[in-house]
């Protein structure tokens, strides 16, 4: 899509105030607010959906009531001048870099695309400029309120939203069809920080996995593909050596996890989606912490992803990858009763996804009526 076409669309969009706007950095983020979109459209709310992904399927086909436009080069202009009642995003750091808060938007809403804590894997000011945050659990509310108090941030509207994606994955897992290859599927899905699996031990890991009777699939974080193109190209070249390995190109994680038998990750929030959604334990590679905020300890709160790690699976050191087959056997032993354990653990961590989700939906509808 050319610049002039984008220019015309943005100018047209800025001429009128929008009721409700969703912004997606890429097609991969749609699952985190897909149900919201569906239910808001069902309530006859007109939705403007802005995507920066030329491969976003909604550009080709979308439900009635949606205006879908592609914007990449003019995002800075769009964010600073947009007029809307509500803007919903999964993008942190609003107002801190290129994308500034428009004074014409009444309510900026943040929806989490990972169930991790707010203060270690996100920058210190990541949520400062939002008006409303849909929290996955009480732990995030506690962290955000502590940050407001500690750093003198303005108080935000924190909604007990939950993490509806877990229920979607669980339902899909229950209806899972057997794999076509007959081999169990092993998914390697790291996060995108410096020190992730792809940057530290992927070659040795794949060498070990290649001897095991699995179909190996690698799923990269969309930010890794965007920010480290050369490194991701090298990963693609690496797996070309092995006939039973491939890159996962499915845009939605909920389409991949239900068919996955074993997940290997590092510090990614996908561990929560897999353990609580599919009811299967995770094999963690013990990389360095993902510390996007080097000051995270100032809050005096242990991040959820650190605190629960040992309960979600087993860990292997980057220097002991020759033991990966042994660790997978440990996962198989851990599987007994694991799903039930996750079901017991979940209510103490996440808000009730059904009832809490409705709080988020109702909040948006109520705000649009004001």
């Amino acid at each position: 899509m050319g610049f002039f076409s984008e220019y015309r669309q943005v100018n047209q969009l800025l001429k009128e105030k929008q009721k409700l706007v969703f912004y997606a950095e890429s097609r991969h983020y749609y699952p985190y607010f897909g149900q919201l979109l569906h239910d808001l459209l069902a309530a006859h709310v007109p939705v403007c959906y802005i995507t920066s992904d030329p491969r976003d399927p909604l550009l080709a086909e979308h439900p009635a009531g949606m205006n879908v436009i592609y914007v990449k080069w003019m995002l800075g202009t769009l964010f600073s001048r947009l007029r809307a009642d509500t803007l919903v995003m999964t993008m942190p750091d609003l107002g801190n870099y290129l994308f500034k808060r428009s004074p014409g938007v009444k309510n900026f809403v943040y929806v989490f695309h990972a169930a991790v804590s707010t203060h270690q894997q996100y920058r210190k000011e990541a949520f400062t400029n939002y008006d409303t945050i849909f929290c996955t659990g009480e732990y995030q509310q506690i962290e955000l309120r502590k940050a407001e108090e500690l750093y003198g941030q303005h108080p935000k509207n924190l909604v007990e939203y939950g993490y509806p994606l877990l229920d979607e994955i669980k339902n899909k897992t229950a209806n899972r069809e057997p794999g076509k290859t007959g081999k169990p599927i092993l998914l390697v899905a790291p996060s995108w920080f410096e020190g992730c699996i792809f940057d530290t031990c992927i070659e040795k890991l794949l060498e070990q996995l290649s001897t095991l009777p699995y179909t190996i699939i690698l799923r990269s974080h969309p930010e890794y593909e965007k920010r480290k193109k050369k490194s991701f190209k090298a990963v693609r070249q690496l797996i070309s050596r092995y006939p039973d390995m491939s890159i996962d190109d499915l845009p939605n994680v909920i389409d991949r996890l239900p068919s996955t038998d074993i997940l290997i990750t590092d510090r990614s929030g996908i561990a929560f989606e897999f353990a609580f959604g599919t009811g299967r334990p995770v094999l963690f590679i013990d990389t360095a912490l993902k510390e996007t905020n080097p000051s995270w300890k100032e809050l005096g709160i242990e991040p959820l992803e650190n605190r629960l790690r040992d309960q979600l699976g087993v860990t292997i050191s980057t220097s002991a990858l020759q033991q990966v087959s042994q660790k997978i056997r440990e996962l198989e032993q851990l599987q007994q009763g694991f799903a039930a354990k996750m079901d017991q653990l979940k209510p103490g961590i996440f808000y009730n996804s059904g009832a809490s989700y409705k709080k988020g939906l109702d909040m948006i509808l109520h705000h649009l009526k004001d």
Side-chain angles (χ1 to χ4, degrees):
M1 190 173 294
F3 172 78
F4 290 107
S5 174
E6 181 177 323
Y7 177 82
R8 287 192 297 270
Q9 287 191 87
V10 169
N11 278 346
Q12 184 63 37
L13 186 65
L14 293 176
K15 287 180 180 179
E16 299 179 0
K17 181 180 178 181
Q18 307 299 310
K19 202 167 187 64
L20 177 62
V21 179
F22 281 77
Y23 171 65
E25 295 175 82
S26 81
R27 65 194 185 281
H28 300 285
Y29 294 104
Y30 176 82
Y32 302 96
F33 47 55
Q35 188 62 42
L36 268 177
L37 271 170
H38 177 272
D39 290 341
L40 288 163
L41 287 169
H44 307 291
V45 176
V47 173
C48 175
Y49 181 89
I50 301 167
T51 177
S52 292
D53 188 343
R55 294 190 293 168
D56 194 316
L58 287 174
L59 287 167
E61 185 178 359
H62 52 266
M66 284 184 72
N67 175 29
V68 180
I69 68 170
Y70 170 80
V71 182
K72 181 177 181 181
W73 305 110
M74 294 191 67
L75 276 176
T77 299
L78 179 63
F79 269 82
S80 63
R81 294 172 52 192
L82 184 68
R83 291 178 296 149
D85 286 322
T86 297
L87 173 55
V88 182
M89 298 189 289
T90 63
M91 182 186 73
D93 284 303
L94 171 69
N96 296 335
Y97 298 98
L98 174 63
F99 309 129
K100 307 302 182 184
R101 275 182 61 110
S102 168
V105 176
K106 293 181 180 179
N107 187 26
F108 284 92
V109 178
Y110 183 82
V111 177
F112 280 94
H113 60 268
V116 298
S117 282
T118 61
H119 59 305
Q120 179 177 271
Q121 296 197 20
Y122 294 95
R123 294 181 180 89
K124 181 189 285 190
E125 306 292 332
F127 309 107
T128 302
N129 295 314
Y130 276 93
D131 303 297
T132 301
I133 299 179
F134 283 5
C135 296
T136 63
E138 186 183 19
Y139 65 99
Q140 289 182 338
Q141 284 198 317
I142 293 171
E143 293 158 4
L144 290 166
R145 290 298 185 218
K146 185 67 179 291
E148 290 172 357
E149 176 188 345
L150 190 62
Y151 303 124
Q153 300 171 356
H154 76 90
K156 290 164 280 292
N157 178 25
L158 304 183
V159 178
E160 299 177 2
Y161 183 68
Y163 203 51
L165 195 68
L166 295 180
D167 290 340
E168 291 186 51
I169 295 171
K170 189 170 185 176
N171 291 336
K172 283 180 175 286
T173 301
N175 298 318
R176 172 185 177 179
E177 296 181 0
K180 296 179 181 179
T181 63
K183 291 183 179 180
I185 293 175
L186 188 153
L187 179 68
V188 181
S191 191
W192 62 278
F193 67 108
E194 293 294 334
C196 72
I197 291 173
F198 281 175
D199 290 342
T200 57
C201 60
I202 187 61
E203 187 167 2
K204 186 174 181 181
L205 176 62
L206 294 187
E207 182 181 337
Q208 295 296 319
L209 295 179
S210 67
T211 65
L212 304 179
Y214 299 103
T215 296
I216 312 296
I217 300 175
L218 276 65
R219 183 178 181 88
S220 67
H221 192 287
E223 293 299 315
Y224 189 89
E225 293 184 40
K226 182 171 72 175
R227 298 167 186 261
K228 307 196 75 171
K229 291 183 172 63
K230 289 184 179 180
S231 298
F232 185 59
K233 183 179 179 180
V235 172
R236 281 191 177 274
Q237 292 173 340
L238 178 63
I239 67 167
S240 66
R241 305 177 191 173
Y242 304 103
D244 281 337
M245 295 188 187
S246 62
I247 294 287
D248 182 17
D249 290 321
L250 290 175
N252 296 343
V253 69
I254 60 173
D255 293 330
R256 174 55 63 195
L257 290 186
S259 63
T260 298
D261 297 283
I262 298 169
L263 172 70
I264 296 180
T265 189
D266 40 34
R267 303 290 171 174
S268 173
I270 199 172
F272 290 99
E273 294 162 4
F274 187 72
F276 287 98
T278 72
R280 303 185 191 111
V282 179
L283 177 54
F284 293 101
I285 305 291
D286 198 20
T287 61
L289 290 177
K290 183 178 179 180
E291 296 179 298
T292 307
N293 172 21
S295 303
W296 66 269
K297 292 182 180 179
E298 292 177 351
L299 262 65
I301 301 172
E302 184 69 12
L304 184 74
E305 59 270 27
N306 300 353
R307 180 162 51 90
L308 288 187
R309 191 174 177 88
D310 291 342
Q311 297 186 59
L312 302 187
V314 298
T315 301
I316 185 171
S317 167
T318 55
S319 62
L321 293 179
Q322 69 277 8
Q323 300 174 11
V324 70
S325 60
Q326 174 186 330
K327 290 294 183 178
I328 289 175
R329 287 195 294 273
E330 288 182 30
L331 285 183
E332 293 170 350
Q333 295 171 358
L334 190 61
Q335 180 63 65
Q336 182 69 29
F338 186 81
K341 177 186 174 183
M342 292 298 102
D343 285 342
Q344 292 175 353
L345 193 60
K346 181 183 173 185
I349 300 170
F350 304 106
Y351 294 123
N352 180 292
S353 295
S356 297
Y357 161 78
K358 194 171 185 306
K359 290 183 181 180
L361 175 64
D362 289 345
M363 188 283 296
I364 291 179
L365 289 171
H366 178 76
H367 185 88
L368 293 175
K369 292 177 181 177
D370 290 346

